[in-house]
Structure formats: structure tokens, C-alpha cells
């Protein structure tokens, strides 16, 4: 384990390379993040997802993201793997926070290990489709939507492709159904995602998702796929500087004959929109990937 006590800034992004180089992988990499001084009277709620992953294919590809030890002033964020042979070269995370007991934004977590069908299940018995219905603690007054970010994966490597997707269906003002699925020959031992529910017309907030399929076909894999997102007209027109865009992965579809290397990046953010890219590198093949984003403007 490598841990950095020196607090990092609350930018919404953490990468293991802030603490150690990629060439020195370890099972757990963490650091302390400072929260804005005197901003929270109680420890805030946090939701976090993978922004990038670089995992060895020599064993099951395993990664987990944890935000804990949350106080009014700071928290610890950790990116980790487990097992004797699994190797995490590097990874990065995105997080979002809000005040405890906020009613206009709700966070939660869905883990396939919490499902009765998976309790004590062997790897041989892993399921391809996993879902759970969530009822909100209080109903939204208006229509809402749900953002999903992957934050734990445990999949077979070797000849099996890496395929995982986190998404929401049946969204109403009172709840929704969360899903973590795989398909084809992929073997998903387990996975987890955070979910973030917003009113669709929340002021100074925009959110959505994108994927490589918006630009190219699955059968035409390339190392980097990029395009643009345009905000709704006037959503951030009066804001200076531009809004903050937080983005994390919600889908991966890669060849299993090489290391799992995938990342999402956001650039050129202004009051009109931003440019995104989903990419891999070296000998990894990225058939498809997707991510969800949240743009936050402040009056």
C-alpha cells in the first residue's frame, strides 16, 4: 500500500500517479483530499467513479474505488486491486460531493455482491445480467434522471473480452432500476457503480452521457475516439469561468488478449460545451466505451 497524507485539492479528480509512478504498481494507492474550509457543517455525501484504468491481463482484471474517512474537512480516496496476481499499474477517479441531507440531489451505490443470487456464488456461477430497484428516500417534485459511474470491476482475462456496462432504467420521481451487465463470452465475477439522481431542470446543472458508438462503429476500433457535447442553450451563458465538468466511465468493451487500458478525458470546456475523448494505448483494442458527465455551474 502507498498512501499520501499530504492533502490534495478538491478538484474532483484523483490519479494514482499523484502518489506513485505507473512503473511501480501496488495493491492500494490512496491520498487525503481537503474539502473547502468551513463549507460543510457535517461530513458530505460523495459519489465516485473510474476515469481511467490500466490493469494487467495476466490475471483477473480487478479494480476498486473507495472514498472513506469522510469528515467536514477532508476524506481519503483509494484505488486498489486484490488477489495474488492482479496488477493495477495506474488508475484515476472522478468524484462529486454534496451536503448531507440534500433533497435536490441523491447519491447511492449498487454492488452485484449485494444481490441474493450472488451471495456466496462461485466464479463459475457469475451472472451476465444484474439489477436492483432503488426507491428514493423522498420523491422528486419534478422528473429526474440518473447518472451511473462504474467504481468496481472483477472480470476474467485471457481469451474473454472485457465487457461491462452500468446504466439505469424505469426512472420515475420515486425510484429507478440499476443494472450492471456483461455480454458475449465475457465473465463478470462482480461489479459496482455509484448513482447520482438529479431533477432534469436543476439550475446550473447539466448532465448526460456519450459513447464511441456516437462517432464510429464497434467493428472499427481505433486508439482514440473524440467528439463534442453542446450544453442546452443558455444553461451556462452568464457564467464566468466555464462550468466544471465531471466525467467517469459507465461502459467498457475491449479485447481480452492484452492489458485493460481505457480512459475518458474532457477538454476545451467553455460555456457552450466541451470536447470528450475515449481512448486506449499500446497493444490494447478498444471496441467501445462510454461515460456519463455532470456539468456544474455556480452563480
Amino acid at each position: 500500500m502507498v498512501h499520501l497524507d499530504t492533502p490534495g485539492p478538491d478538484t474532483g479528480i484523483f490519479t494514482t500517479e499523484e502518489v506513485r509512478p505507473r512503473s511501480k504498481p501496488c495493491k492500494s494507492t490512496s491520498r487525503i483530499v481537503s474539502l473547502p474550509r468551513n463549507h460543510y457543517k457535517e461530513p458530505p455525501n460523495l459519489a465516485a467513479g473510474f476515469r481511467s484504468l490500466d490493469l494487467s491481463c495476466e490475471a483477473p482484471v480487478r479494480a476498486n474505488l473507495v472514498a472513506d474517512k469522510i469528515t467536514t474537512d477532508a476524506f481519503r480516496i483509494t484505488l486498489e486491486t486484490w488477489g495474488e496476481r492482479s496488477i493495477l499499474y495506474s488508475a484515476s477517479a472522478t468524484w462529486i460531493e454534496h451536503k448531507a441531507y440534500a433533497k435536490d440531489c441523491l447519491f447511492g451505490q449498487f454492488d452485484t455482491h449485494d444481490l441474493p443470487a450472488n451471495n456466496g456464488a462461485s466464479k463459475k456461477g457469475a451472472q451476465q445480467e444484474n439489477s436492483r430497484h432503488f426507491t428514493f428516500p423522498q420523491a422528486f417534485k419534478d422528473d429526474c434522471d440518473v447518472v451511473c459511474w462504474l467504481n468496481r470491476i472483477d472480470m476474467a482475462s485471457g481469451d474473454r473480452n472485457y465487457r461491462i456496462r452500468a446504466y439505469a432504467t424505469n426512472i420515475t420521481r420515486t425510484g429507478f432500476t440499476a443494472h450492471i451487465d456483461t455480454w458475449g463470452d465475457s465473465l463478470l465475477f462482480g461489479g459496482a457503480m455509484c448513482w447520482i439522481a438529479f431533477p432534469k431542470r436543476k439550475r446550473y446543472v447539466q448532465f448526460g452521457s456519450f459513447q464511441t458508438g456516437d462517432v464510429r462503429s464497434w467493428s472499427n476500433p481505433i486508439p482514440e475516439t473524440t467528439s463534442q457535447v453542446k450544453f442546452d442553450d443558455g444553461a451556462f451563458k452568464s457564467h464566468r469561468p466555464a462550468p466544471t465538468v465531471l466525467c467517469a466511465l459507465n461502459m467498457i468493451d475491449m479485447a481480452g488478449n492484452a492489458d485493460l487500458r481505457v480512459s475518458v478525458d474532457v477538454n476545451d470546456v467553455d460555456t457552450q460545451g466541451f470536447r470528450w475523448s475515449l481512448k486506449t494505448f499500446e497493444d490494447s483494442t478498444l471496441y467501445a466505451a462510454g461515460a456519463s458527465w455532470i456539468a456544474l455551474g455556480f452563480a
Side-chain angles (χ1 to χ4, degrees):
M1 175 179 178
V2 179
H3 175 70
L4 188 62
D5 281 323
T6 304
D10 185 16
T11 60
I13 298 174
F14 165 67
T15 173
T16 56
E17 295 186 59
E18 296 174 22
V19 181
R20 60 165 178 84
R22 176 183 178 275
S23 60
K24 294 184 178 180
C26 66
K27 294 297 182 185
S28 177
T29 306
S30 60
R31 79 168 303 161
I32 300 298
V33 174
S34 291
L35 294 169
R37 179 170 291 186
N38 300 323
H39 186 71
Y40 296 110
K41 295 181 180 179
E42 298 182 54
N45 296 321
L46 280 94
F50 296 130
R51 187 180 176 94
S52 69
L53 292 168
D54 184 357
L55 300 160
S56 171
C57 65
E58 298 302 317
V61 289
R62 293 169 171 154
N64 189 43
L65 168 58
V66 180
D68 63 359
K69 296 191 174 181
I70 304 168
T71 70
T72 57
D73 299 316
F75 68 96
R76 180 179 67 180
I77 190 161
T78 304
L79 286 157
E80 61 188 6
T81 189
W82 65 97
E84 293 183 3
R85 297 185 299 129
S86 295
I87 299 173
L88 174 64
Y89 293 114
S90 68
S92 61
T94 292
W95 72 84
I96 184 173
E97 67 210 44
H98 70 63
K99 294 180 179 180
Y101 311 117
K103 295 181 180 180
D104 59 348
C105 178
L106 301 175
F107 294 173
Q109 181 80 2
F110 171 45
D111 193 317
T112 61
H113 283 178
D114 295 334
L115 296 174
N118 287 326
N119 287 345
S122 66
K123 291 183 177 180
K124 186 177 179 180
Q127 297 180 181
Q128 287 204 318
E129 297 182 359
N130 305 271
S131 64
R132 177 186 169 189
H133 185 77
F134 286 85
T135 300
F136 299 137
Q138 61 272 336
F140 286 98
K141 294 181 180 180
D142 298 306
D143 291 343
C144 67
D145 212 337
V146 177
V147 171
C148 301
W149 288 345
L150 286 164
N151 55 27
R152 184 173 69 83
I153 63 169
D154 184 1
M155 290 184 286
S157 57
D159 294 333
R160 298 176 184 270
N161 288 350
Y162 314 125
R163 300 183 179 106
I164 186 171
R165 182 186 175 210
Y167 61 102
T169 62
N170 304 320
I171 302 169
T172 69
R173 297 180 184 183
T174 60
F176 73 101
T177 302
H179 302 260
I180 297 178
D181 297 344
T182 190
W183 59 97
D185 67 344
S186 299
L187 188 58
L188 177 65
F189 303 139
M193 62 174 237
C194 70
W195 57 263
I196 306 156
F198 284 111
K200 285 187 176 181
R201 289 172 287 276
K202 182 173 172 61
R203 196 178 185 191
Y204 306 129
V205 176
Q206 293 271 292
F207 46 89
S209 61
F210 52 79
Q211 58 178 310
T212 54
D214 299 337
V215 178
R216 62 167 177 84
S217 69
W218 175 92
S219 59
N220 181 35
I222 54 177
E224 182 173 5
T225 303
T226 184
S227 188
Q228 288 185 307
V229 165
K230 294 293 185 182
F231 298 135
D232 291 348
D233 289 343
F236 302 111
K237 185 177 180 180
S238 62
H239 284 73
R240 294 291 186 274
T244 296
V245 177
L246 303 173
C247 190
L249 296 163
N250 62 19
M251 188 265 284
I252 301 168
D253 185 353
M254 302 187 67
N257 60 358
D259 290 353
L260 191 160
R261 306 179 181 104
V262 61
S263 67
V264 59
D265 290 319
V266 170
N267 297 289
D268 302 329
V269 181
D270 60 25
T271 57
Q272 303 301 309
F274 62 90
R275 174 165 290 276
W276 59 263
S277 64
L278 288 158
K279 55 189 175 181
T280 188
F281 60 97
E282 294 185 6
D283 62 344
S284 297
T285 301
L286 180 64
Y287 293 120
S292 294
W293 58 271
I294 303 169
L296 302 170
F298 302 96

